[in-house]
C-alpha cells in the first residue's frame, strides 16, 4: 500500500503526534485480540464477563487463573514490527525536539519491550499484580502461580493490576492521555475496534481539538468515518512505512 502524499507531508511537517493502540497491534505477536481471546478452555465465557470485579468477587480462582494464563502468553510473546516501528517514531520525533506520545489499551507490555520509552497504559498491566487488602503491587515475570487466587504476604488475595469493566481508569493515565489528545495535530488510532470507553473517546477529543486522524486497521471500525486517512492494513505492515517516512529528512 502506498501512503498518500498529504499524509507524508503531515508526518514530516507535524510536530505533535499522539498514537493510541489496541489489541490489534499485538495480534501479530500471537496474542489473540480481546474478542477472540476466548479460545480453548475459555471458549464458553464472554471476556467482558470475566474482566469484571463481580466475576472476581464470585469466583476469584477462575478469574485469576484466566489472567495468569494470559500473563504467560504475554511474557512469551515478542514485540512485532508494528511495536518496533512506534518505538522508532518516538525516537525520530523526540530527537528532533517534537512531541510524540504513545497511549495503549493493551496490558501486554509489548510496547515497552520494543523500546518505547514513555507508554501511557490506560488499562494497566497484566504483569503487575496487586493485593486487594493492602494494595501492595509488584511485577510478576515468573511462571504460573501455585494457588489461585495468589495470596499476598498479608494474607489478602492478589489480582491483576488491570482495569476491569465498570472500574475507573487510573486518574493520571487518563489526564495524560486526554492532554496528549488535545494537544496533538496528528492522532493515529492503531489496531483498535474503538468500542470500549472512555478510551474510545480520545480519538474524538483529538478530532474536535483540530487534529488530523489516521486509522491503521485491516477492517473498518466506527472510527473510520472520522479518519482523514484510513490505512487498511496490518500494523506490522503499515507502521514501518510511517516510521521510515518520519525518519526521512523533512522536505
Ligand atoms: C469505566 C483490561 C467509569 C482488562 C479492558 C461510556 C462511557 C464510559 C463507560 C462506558 C460507556 N459505555 C459503556 C461503558 C462501560 C465500559 C465499556 O466501554 N463497555 C463497552 C464494551 C461498551 N467501559 C468501562 O467499564 C470502563 N470503565 O467506564 O469507568 C465507570 C465506572 C463505574 C460505572 C460506570 C462507569 C473500563 C473499560 C476497560 C476494560 N478493560 N482491558 C483485560 O484486558 O482483560 S478493555 C479491553 O477491551 C482492551 O483493553 C481494549 O480496550 C478492549 C478491546 O478493544 P480493542 O483493543 O480494540 O480490541 P478488539 O479485539 O476489540 O479489536 C481489535 C482490533 O484490531 C479490530 O478492529 C481488528 O480489526 C484489529 N486488528 C486485528 N489484527 C490487526 C488489527 N489491527 C492492526 N493490525 C493487525 N494485525
Ligand atoms: Zn496484602
Amino acid at each position: 500500500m502506498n501512503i498518500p502524499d498529504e499524509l507524508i507531508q503531515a508526518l514530516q511537517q507535524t510536530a505533535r503526534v499522539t498514537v493510541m493502540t489496541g489489541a490489534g497491534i499485538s495480534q501479530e505477536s500471537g496474542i489473540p485480540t480481546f474478542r477472540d481471546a476466548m479460545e480453548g478452555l475459555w471458549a464458553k465465557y464472554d471476556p467482558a464477563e470475566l474482566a469484571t470485579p463481580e466475576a472476581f468477587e464470585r469466583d476469584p480462582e477462575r478469574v485469576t487463573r484466566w489472567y495468569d494464563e494470559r500473563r504467560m502468553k504475554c511474557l512469551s510473546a515478542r514485540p512485532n514490527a508494528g511495536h518496533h516501528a512506534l518505538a522508532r517514531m518516538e525516537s525520530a520525533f523526540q530527537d528532533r525536539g517534537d512531541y510524540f506520545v504513545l497511549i495503549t489499551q493493551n496490558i501486554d507490555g509489548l510496547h515497552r519491550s520494543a523500546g518505547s520509552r514513555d507508554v501511557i497504559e490506560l488499562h494497566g498491566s497484566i504483569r503487575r499484580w496487586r493485593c486487594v487488602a493492602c494494595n501492595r503491587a509488584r511485577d510478576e515475570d515468573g511462571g504460573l502461580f501455585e494457588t489461585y487466587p495468589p495470596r499476598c504476604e498479608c494474607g489478602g488475595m492478589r489480582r491483576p493490576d488491570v482495569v476491569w469493566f465498570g472500574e475507573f481508569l487510573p486518574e493520571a493515565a487518563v489526564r495524560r492521555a486526554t492532554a496528549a489528545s488535545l494537544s496533538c495535530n496528528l492522532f493515529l488510532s492503531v489496531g483498535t475496534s474503538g468500542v470500549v470507553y472512555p478510551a474510545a473517546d480520545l480519538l474524538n477529543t483529538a478530532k474536535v481539538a483540530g487534529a488530523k486522524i489516521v486509522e491503521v486497521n485491516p477492517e473498518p471500525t466506527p472510527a473510520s468515518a472520522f479518519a482523514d486517512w484510513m490505512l487498511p492494513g496490518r500494523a506490522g505492515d503499515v507502521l514501518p512505512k510511517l516510521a521510515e517516512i518520519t525518519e526521512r529528512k523533512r522536505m
Side-chain angles (χ1 to χ4, degrees), residues 109-178:
L110 289 178
H111 284 301
R112 275 185 220 284
S113 323
S116 289
R117 295 185 291 258
D118 180 12
V119 185
I120 301 175
E121 292 179 321
L122 278 183
H123 294 156
S125 161
I126 201 163
R127 289 177 54 215
R128 197 173 49 251
W129 285 58
R130 72 177 152 81
C131 172
V132 296
C134 73
N135 233 6
R136 209 174 308 176
R138 61 170 180 270
D139 279 355
E140 295 292 346
D141 295 328
L144 287 166
F145 291 118
E146 262 118 51
T147 58
Y148 293 97
R151 291 280 168 178
C152 168
E153 293 76 15
C154 81
M157 292 190 287
R158 297 176 75 206
R159 56 165 280 185
D161 196 14
V162 301
V163 180
W164 280 331
F165 288 97
E167 291 188 321
F168 287 101
L169 280 61
E171 181 116 346
V174 174
R175 222 188 0 263
R176 287 190 61 211
T178 307

Side-chain angles (χ1 to χ4, degrees), residues 28-75:
E28 294 164 70
S29 294
I31 297 185
T33 62
F34 204 79
R35 273 152 192 61
D36 54 38
M38 307 312 289
E39 54 190 26
L41 182 62
W42 305 106
K44 55 183 182 303
Y45 304 114
D46 165 3
E49 259 308 293
L50 278 171
T52 64
E54 294 74 22
F56 178 73
E57 196 77 24
R58 219 179 13 255
D59 192 342
E61 187 204 330
R62 176 162 67 181
V63 172
T64 51
R65 200 178 281 278
W66 182 53
Y67 275 95
D68 209 26
E69 291 193 5
R70 287 176 64 192
R71 178 174 69 91
M72 289 296 104
K73 218 174 240 161
C74 293
L75 288 179

